[in-house]
Amino acid sequence: MRRIETLSVHAGRDDFASLGVHAAPIDLSTTYPVHDLIAGTASFDALVSGAASAANPIYARLHNPTVARTEQAIAALEGSESCVAFGSGMAALSALLLARRAIGSHVLVVRPIYGSADHLLACGTLGLDAEFVAVGEIASKRRADTSLIIIETPANPTLKLVDIRAVVAAAGDVPVMVDSTFATPILQNPMALGARYVLHSATKFLGGHGDVIAGVICCADADAMPLRQMRALTGALLHPLAAYLLQRGLATLALRVERAQSNAIQIAERLAGHRSIAKVYFPGFAECAEAHLVGSHAGAQMRGPGALMAMELHGGFSAAAAAMAAVKLITPAVSLGSVDSLIQHPSGLTHRVVDEQARAAHGITPGLLRLSVGIEHVDDLWADLDQALLKAVGAARVAPTRAAMPA
Ligand SMILES: *Cc1c(COP(=O)(O)O)cnc(C)c1O
């Protein structure tokens, strides 16, 4: 069995030798000639019922070879039979809800999760009954019509870890979906712990360069068929150019995650001693309640803490806003998992769409910033963060109440 560093580079390249190429070809055809109608009909039938491939792709909404290669690469990394790629992480989540017949049913969700996912589930537009519960409540809240259990670990934006084995044990025969975007397949493989589906916003670490929007679901082949069928029916496709960029990004995934993580470990330690910071949320910290889930020991679920952290600033919103304004090297922007470092304000941006009481209950405060650490030199990152945070405490001292977050 090849190691993940090797798979990162080589997975999804199986047909290169027979094609006589060294880099992935990009197939932009929207349609494919059907000279043999009997064979074409068979291919059509196979693809509309969710087959992974057919002799003739027929039409690009049914199949695309460039996208299929990227899916094979991600499945190899996640250790799943299949991977189905969509136009975004949100398209992937929506397709899963449709494919599981979640509309009109009950869905259990453990908060916190990505802001837009929370919004999609809570706002009611889909016509499903989403109930937000703690892990300990799953077994008692499960109903006959519960179609899916959704968790995210590490969770966005507070890096809270959810014990995947505990959720699977409480789920009974209800399928569990884990959003593993923050961990990547380099650090965590939820299916090995009993999850039925793994979702990645491939926009983040998998693409890794801030230039692709994509989402994937990894699962067993039998579960992938209805997802592919849903993708063909609703058209929530990943474009082949985006798939190409995504596969290109995968080659350096292991390297990028290792470097970003080692930077993050050093930054989290320095932040914990910084006078502007009231609290650092980082999965690797011993004081983090779920620290036992990180490491190489039995019972761990994540091989390392990853490259994201959140920090609560002294001085609340005005300090957080001042830090966003003061960074020079780090980009003040939403998204994460890019080669460059990004800092953002969850309660004002990504998690603004989440119910206000739920935000407060899960520590998504006006003084919270989330940092996605990139692969730059750690000392350059620290120099920028340090000067921005010193300006932030200064600003909070001068104007503790002047700046309030818009309602
Ligand atoms: C970004 C993100 C999503 C949504 O993905 P898109 O590609 O933006 O649609 C879902 N889950 C998590 C954890 C994310 O960070």
Side-chain angles (χ1 to χ4, degrees), residues 98-369:
L98 289 169
R100 290 279 355 151
R101 309 275 194 273
I103 310 300
S105 85
H106 180 236
V107 174
L108 287 171
V109 189
V110 178
R111 271 180 171 144
I113 57 171
Y114 178 68
S116 296
D118 189 302
H119 188 46
L120 177 73
L121 293 163
C123 73
T125 36
L126 285 184
L128 54 78
D129 175 14
E131 190 174 2
F132 294 90
V133 293
V135 174
E137 296 172 318
I138 291 174
S140 62
K141 298 277 186 172
R142 201 156 37 87
R143 307 196 312 225
D145 71 331
T146 307
S147 57
L148 194 63
I149 296 172
I150 295 177
I151 63 169
E152 186 174 305
T153 182
N156 196 345
T158 53
L159 285 305
K160 189 173 167 54
L161 303 186
V162 181
D163 187 333
I164 298 170
R165 289 184 188 88
V167 171
V168 168
D173 53 9
V174 181
V176 174
M177 185 214 92
V178 178
D179 184 332
S180 194
T181 298
F182 277 31
T184 80
I186 305 299
L187 299 177
Q188 174 172 286
N189 303 108
M191 287 181 72
L193 307 176
R196 181 103 163 246
Y197 300 96
V198 178
L199 182 143
H200 291 284
S201 167
T203 311
K204 316 294 168 52
F205 287 98
L206 301 188
H209 296 74
D211 53 10
V212 178
I213 295 255
V216 299
I217 290 181
C218 296
C219 56
D221 200 38
D223 288 328
M225 296 207 32
L227 285 170
R228 288 192 211 100
Q229 210 173 12
M230 200 52 73
R231 179 177 63 184
L233 285 169
T234 61
L237 306 178
L238 182 62
H239 192 274
L241 285 174
Y244 172 86
L245 287 171
L246 178 52
Q247 190 172 3
R248 196 174 207 264
L250 291 178
T252 54
L253 179 65
L255 263 182
R256 286 186 284 107
V257 170
E258 274 167 37
R259 172 60 172 270
Q261 174 174 262
S262 88
N263 282 348
I265 291 168
Q266 296 178 61
I267 288 175
E269 279 165 5
R270 294 183 201 183
L271 272 180
H274 199 278
R275 65 190 177 89
S276 66
I277 299 295
K279 185 167 182 189
V280 179
Y281 299 87
F282 187 56
F285 277 2
E287 63 265 32
C288 136
E290 312 91 14
H292 65 285
L293 295 175
V294 184
S296 50
H297 53 278
Q301 66 184 26
M302 210 183 164
R303 292 180 279 277
L308 276 124
M309 67 195 70
M311 62 195 93
E312 179 68 37
L313 273 67
H314 290 302
F317 179 76
S318 45
M324 290 275 286
V327 283
K328 296 190 176 85
L329 177 66
I330 300 168
T331 305
V334 301
S335 199
L336 58 107
S338 186
V339 284
D340 58 319
S341 300
L342 303 170
I343 196 163
Q344 73 107 3
H345 186 257
S347 68
L349 298 167
T350 51
H351 288 69
R352 203 166 162 68
V353 286
V354 176
D355 173 73
E356 203 177 323
Q357 282 177 352
R359 276 206 312 252
H362 293 283
I364 307 169
T365 62
L368 189 80
L369 290 175

Side-chain angles (χ1 to χ4, degrees), residues 46-54 60-64 67-68 71-72 75 80-86 92 95-96 98-99 197 217-237:
L47 292 172
V48 291
S49 48
S53 64
R61 184 157 40 71
L62 306 180
H63 184 81
N64 176 276
V67 174
E71 291 172 333
Q72 280 157 20
S80 57
E81 278 176 8
S82 278
C83 167
V84 187
F86 297 88
L96 178 61
L98 289 169
Y197 300 96
I217 290 181
C218 296
C219 56
D221 200 38
D223 288 328
M225 296 207 32
L227 285 170
R228 288 192 211 100
Q229 210 173 12
M230 200 52 73
R231 179 177 63 184
L233 285 169
T234 61
L237 306 178

